Amino acid sequence: MEIEDVFKPEIDNSIRGSPSDLRGVSILLLLLALNLIPSISMRIVCDSMMPFFIVIFVWAALYILTMGLILYLLEKDSSLHGVILWSRKSLVILIVLTVIPRTVFLGSEVLISLDALWYLDFGDFMSWGDMPYADFYFPYPPVFGYFIYGIMLIAPTVDSYRILAIALDVLIVTTLWWMKQSHPANHTLQIAPFFYAFLPFSVIESGLNGHFEPLANLFLLIALCCLFENRALLGTIPFGLSIATKIYPVFILPILLLSIAGNRKKVEFMLGTTAIFFLTFIPFSIPVWLRGDLLFPGTAMPGLQTGFFDAMIGFIFELGPIHLVTISMIGIAVLLLLGFFIGRSTGAVSLPTTLTYNVLTFCIGFLFVFMSFLAIVYPFIPPALGVFWRYPTNIALSRGVAASSIALLLMITAWKRWRFASDRKVSIASLGLVASVTMLLLITLSKQVFYGWYLLWPLIPLLFLDDRRVVCLILACMLLLYPSYTHDNFLSLGYEENRTWNDEFIDVDAWDAYLDFTDSGLNGSQVSAQIESKNGIGAFSVSATEDTSLEQLSRIRAIYSRDVTIDVTIDTEIVLLISSDWDPTFGRYADVELYFQGINETGQIISDAVIAEWQFSPKNITYVLWRFSFQGTGMAVHPVELTKFILVIDNIQEHYLSVLIDFIYTTEVYKFTPATIVLGVLLAVPSLVSIFMLERILPSWKTNLEDVY
């Protein structure tokens, strides 16, 4: 990347001295101790919901203070630069700082995210000779699939994915260390390895969840290193691999292209990246070609048979009101960038770099305010009342208040710079990096449900941005928004709701089974329905003789019911944990519906679907926690009595299929009370105090614009 005004100043070699080695090493060890405490605490309490959130908010405040302490010490005592920033001893300690807090979670049986179980299932499928995309649902580009296959051969456990993510984090920290050695004038890069090593949501997502964002981020980091070293052609390899690992880096490809000097180099980078991306599909394609399928028949997705790329586009963009706002914001950002870069390349009048930089910084602050608003309202909108578990309103309040407060500070920073320093020059590199951060943050909102680990996507370009104040404020906002919608299975957190009625399937005597043979041409001697309790799990099975036609079997409806007497109100929710017991042949197995019937106060019979036509398909690999809320239905404005639950299995595509239900229960909505408001505000206080302390103790924090200008 031909970049103007970047990393040009020479650094004084005197800072490489280390007269304060003992003091510097002591500081690093103190930082390790400070950040190891919340990591150990999280390992202890991560199976309990409210302690989990208390630790994460305290951890966020501690992280902000730790980064502030590093900045403060480096500003106050330049002799510490040698040991903290430059010595090899410091690199070794930094690697230890990266590894230990993450390895604390090894051996944990708590699964905040269920993705690692999906990875294990995918590995099993590949070991049986089935190929991703062609034979089973695989929602990722191919590179991580090869890692999944390798782990399946060596050690197929959740800890293997955790160890892989930790190793990748070490490589990221080491690469950042090398970059800061090569570019000593970039103020943010000098402390970027520390920012990454301590970052709480990086620790959790690698050490506890075993997500593979670090793999995509490592490739993206290497690609940016190549571009900053003006080796764009070499950068096509890691950038192509980053897109082939996780699709999100493709959204900053136009920004990188516009930042590369020369049309020929732009074309080479584009073609090289595209070639690498497509080449990564070949190992999975060859077995499919050898068996006679010239093209993939389509990604195995529930109810769909589409090509991989169609499925991937649908996987990224899911339109809705929030997503329309997101797309509009992306459009504004793209127009700003095009207005600048096209004008610059043609010599026409264009937006100044400084104005564009400040506008994008302001947009990031506004985006965080928007995300904070979503965090606050999330417990009250339909996605929180359905499959994905209810997020406590007081936690939503604390996240929203703290993150939006810091976001406003970011917007004020952008406004003050535009107002009082509009004549200063911003480098093209800084503009491209802040544009990349903006784009990747916007993409995190393109999915129907936002998960905390998406915030790892903009992390790499952010750590290259030579603007410490903006970087610190963005990291603080991301950290406080991180637990917004991270978990889709609160049972893994050990969160026990108050159950007003429940069936834990100690026995199944209350359930009845019935087969509807209408238009099937079959009878009870060929097909049967059973209900049994297997270690406290209700198993609802359908079995047919092997000579039974699957076409006829698909017309049968297996109906299971039990009588109940449950008084419900508008605050009532129905919750169940459901899965299937099947031998994967990677097709559609059955549809499942769960209904209830009841009587309202006028004696009128009412009914609705808790689950409506849920397909047992390869996407439903792990247990699903299902929720139904009476809020918004208008059905229980006045008290209603439920009288029956009805489970229906139809469109059956297997000779044996079993639906497994761990439990069904009713509960009451977590209510918004003055006590919950107080708790929410208290949880937000530590991080806000930390930011206030940074404002007070860092002299350069308020006025220093040289980092970016």
Side-chain angles (χ1 to χ4, degrees):
M1 182 162 27
E2 299 290 343
I3 303 172
E4 304 172 5
D5 304 324
V6 182
F7 308 140
K8 293 297 177 69
E10 293 291 333
I11 191 167
D12 187 351
N13 287 328
S14 65
I15 70 169
R16 295 177 183 268
S18 53
S20 306
D21 278 10
L22 182 60
R23 185 162 35 137
V25 171
S26 300
I27 291 171
L28 290 176
L29 292 176
L30 174 62
L31 295 177
L32 171 62
L34 288 176
N35 285 272
L36 190 57
I37 292 172
S39 183
I40 295 173
S41 301
M42 181 62 73
R43 169 62 192 266
I44 295 172
V45 306
C46 64
D47 61 347
S48 300
M49 186 168 143
M50 288 310 300
F52 169 86
F53 289 119
I54 292 172
V55 170
I56 198 69
F57 277 102
V58 172
W59 198 351
L62 184 60
Y63 174 82
I64 295 170
L65 283 177
T66 300
M67 295 304 100
L69 178 62
I70 291 176
L71 293 172
Y72 176 77
L73 292 173
L74 292 177
E75 285 187 8
K76 286 296 185 182
D77 189 352
S78 61
S79 66
L80 292 176
H81 282 238
V83 64
I84 291 183
L85 297 183
W86 294 96
S87 72
R88 293 184 179 179
K89 186 186 300 181
S90 176
L91 174 59
V92 173
I93 295 177
L94 186 60
I95 291 174
V96 173
L97 293 174
T98 305
V99 171
I100 292 182
R102 290 164 170 81
T103 54
V104 164
F105 296 101
L106 292 180
S108 174
E109 295 182 359
V110 175
L111 295 173
I112 293 178
S113 166
L114 300 179
D115 285 358
L117 297 180
W118 280 51
Y119 306 157
L120 293 173
D121 286 330
F122 294 147
D124 286 338
F125 301 161
M126 284 185 264
S127 71
W128 299 334
D130 296 290
M131 290 296 104
Y133 316 121
D135 297 321
F136 65 89
Y137 171 76
F138 190 72
Y140 312 113
V143 167
F144 186 57
Y146 304 125
F147 282 85
I148 290 176
Y149 186 70
I151 287 176
M152 186 278 303
L153 294 176
I154 299 170
T157 65
V158 171
D159 275 350
S160 296
Y161 291 100
R162 291 168 173 162
I163 292 171
L164 172 63
I166 293 169
L168 292 168
D169 281 342
V170 170
L171 291 175
I172 289 174
V173 167
T174 305
T175 305
L176 286 171
W177 180 271
W178 174 80
M179 277 297 292
K180 83 179 186 62
Q181 301 282 82
S182 303
H183 300 285
N186 186 312
H187 299 79
T188 301
L189 266 179
Q190 300 310 303
I191 53 176
F194 296 92
F195 279 170
Y196 189 90
F198 297 137
L199 190 60
F201 61 80
S202 173
V203 174
I204 293 173
E205 294 306 327
S206 295
L208 183 57
N209 290 339
H211 278 126
F212 66 97
E213 267 74 8
L215 180 59
N217 277 347
L218 177 62
F219 288 134
L220 179 58
L221 173 59
I222 297 172
L224 289 180
C225 290
C226 292
L227 293 175
F228 273 92
E229 296 294 331
N230 297 317
R231 304 180 69 180
L233 186 59
L234 181 61
T236 60
I237 298 175
F239 191 70
L241 291 175
S242 70
I243 298 172
T245 303
K246 201 86 171 177
I247 205 71
Y248 62 84
V250 75
F251 292 98
I252 65 171
L253 176 59
I255 298 171
L256 299 183
L257 289 175
L258 291 169
S259 302
I260 297 174
N263 291 331
R264 180 175 177 176
K265 288 185 177 181
K266 286 181 172 67
V267 173
E268 288 175 347
F269 189 83
M270 181 69 178
L271 293 178
T273 296
T274 304
I276 293 298
F277 176 76
F278 281 106
L279 286 173
T280 61
F281 286 87
I282 290 179
F284 282 147
S285 304
I286 291 175
V288 181
W289 296 337
L290 291 177
R291 71 190 186 199
D293 295 331
L294 295 181
L295 296 173
F296 286 153
T299 302
M301 295 187 69
L304 296 174
Q305 279 299 319
T306 60
F308 167 71
F309 297 104
D310 290 339
M312 186 60 68
I313 292 172
F315 181 72
I316 297 168
F317 291 109
E318 300 166 6
L319 290 180
I322 291 175
H323 311 114
L324 292 175
V325 172
T326 302
I327 292 172
S328 300
M329 295 176 72
I330 291 175
I332 293 171
V334 169
L335 288 175
L336 277 172
L337 292 171
L338 288 177
F340 168 76
F341 282 110
I342 292 176
R344 178 174 178 266
S345 61
T346 61
V349 178
S350 64
L351 291 172
T353 55
T354 304
L355 174 61
T356 308
Y357 182 90
N358 289 331
V359 169
L360 288 174
T361 304
F362 187 89
C363 286
I364 292 175
F366 177 79
L367 180 59
F368 281 131
V369 171
F370 179 61
M371 295 170 73
S372 301
F373 169 75
L374 294 181
I376 292 174
V377 303
Y378 179 74
F380 307 100
I381 62 178
L385 306 176
V387 177
F388 300 96
W389 62 282
R390 170 62 58 80
Y391 210 86
T393 49
N394 58 337
I395 299 300
L397 178 66
S398 59
R399 287 194 314 275
V401 169
S404 60
S405 299
I406 299 173
L408 288 173
L409 187 58
L410 182 61
M411 296 170 70
I412 292 171
T413 298
W415 179 81
K416 284 185 175 180
R417 288 178 172 181
W418 169 77
R419 182 70 177 81
F420 301 110
S422 58
D423 58 333
R424 304 300 293 271
K425 297 289 185 180
V426 174
S427 70
I428 300 299
S430 295
L431 182 60
L433 289 168
V434 78
S436 299
V437 172
T438 306
M439 187 65 68
L440 293 174
L441 278 172
L442 285 169
I443 295 302
T444 65
L445 292 178
S446 64
K447 296 294 296 299
Q448 183 178 3
V449 177
F450 173 87
Y451 291 110
W453 55 85
Y454 294 170
L455 293 173
L456 291 168
W457 297 356
L459 196 56
I460 296 303
L462 178 65
L463 294 178
F464 274 80
L465 182 60
D466 195 10
D467 189 347
R468 285 182 179 178
R469 179 180 177 84
V470 167
V471 170
C472 289
L473 291 175
I474 291 176
L475 280 174
C477 286
M478 291 197 301
L479 187 55
L480 292 167
L481 286 170
Y482 162 71
S484 294
Y485 325 99
T486 300
H487 319 293
D488 57 10
N489 182 2
F490 72 69
L491 191 75
S492 68
L493 293 178
Y495 177 43
E496 292 291 339
E497 295 180 296
N498 180 33
R499 303 184 180 188
T500 55
W501 174 91
N502 71 287
D503 187 344
E504 294 185 343
F505 296 97
I506 303 302
D507 61 64
V508 292
D509 295 340
W511 288 86
D512 297 313
Y514 166 74
L515 285 172
D516 181 359
F517 291 103
T518 304
D519 296 328
S520 68
L522 300 175
N523 56 57
S525 65
Q526 297 168 292
V527 186
S528 61
Q530 305 88 28
I531 312 171
E532 57 184 323
S533 175
K534 296 182 177 180
N535 299 318
I537 297 176
F540 300 80
S541 305
V542 178
S543 58
T545 57
E546 290 297 325
D547 59 350
T548 302
S549 164
L550 289 179
E551 193 277 332
Q552 290 177 299
L553 189 60
S554 66
R555 302 177 192 172
I556 288 177
R557 300 175 74 237
I559 302 170
Y560 310 85
S561 63
R562 77 159 287 173
D563 294 328
V564 297
T565 302
I566 309 171
D567 294 326
V568 301
T569 67
I570 197 170
D571 293 325
T572 301
E573 294 183 345
I574 301 172
V575 185
L576 67 150
L577 190 64
I578 186 171
S579 70
S580 62
D581 178 17
W582 42 265
D583 182 18
T585 54
F586 310 106
R588 182 176 178 180
Y589 300 102
D591 293 344
V592 177
E593 299 94 41
L594 179 66
Y595 301 94
F596 63 80
Q597 290 181 350
I599 302 174
N600 62 19
E601 63 176 2
T602 65
Q604 181 182 5
I605 295 177
I606 61 169
S607 65
D608 204 345
V610 179
I611 302 175
E613 291 191 6
W614 182 48
Q615 299 170 1
F616 273 119
S617 65
K619 186 173 182 180
N620 304 117
I621 294 174
T622 53
Y623 280 97
V624 174
L625 188 70
W626 214 281
R627 302 183 73 91
F628 174 89
S629 174
F630 284 90
Q631 290 184 352
T633 65
M635 189 178 300
V637 175
H638 303 290
V640 169
E641 181 182 281
L642 299 189
T643 58
K644 181 173 291 191
F645 281 117
I646 303 170
L647 178 71
V648 178
I649 304 176
D650 57 7
N651 196 25
I652 299 166
Q653 302 294 322
E654 286 287 296
H655 288 99
Y656 178 84
L657 183 140
S658 184
V659 176
L660 306 176
I661 302 180
D662 275 27
F663 53 72
I664 304 176
Y665 66 82
T666 58
T667 186
E668 298 296 319
V669 173
Y670 189 93
K671 296 184 179 179
F672 207 39
T673 65
T676 62
I677 296 175
V678 171
L679 178 59
V681 171
L682 289 177
L683 288 175
V685 167
S687 296
L688 295 178
V689 169
S690 299
I691 289 292
F692 175 76
M693 291 180 67
L694 287 185
E695 293 281 349
R696 300 291 297 174
I697 68 175
L698 292 179
S700 67
W701 183 263
K702 298 179 183 179
T703 59
N704 183 28
L705 302 178
E706 283 72 19
D707 283 358
V708 66
Y709 292 137

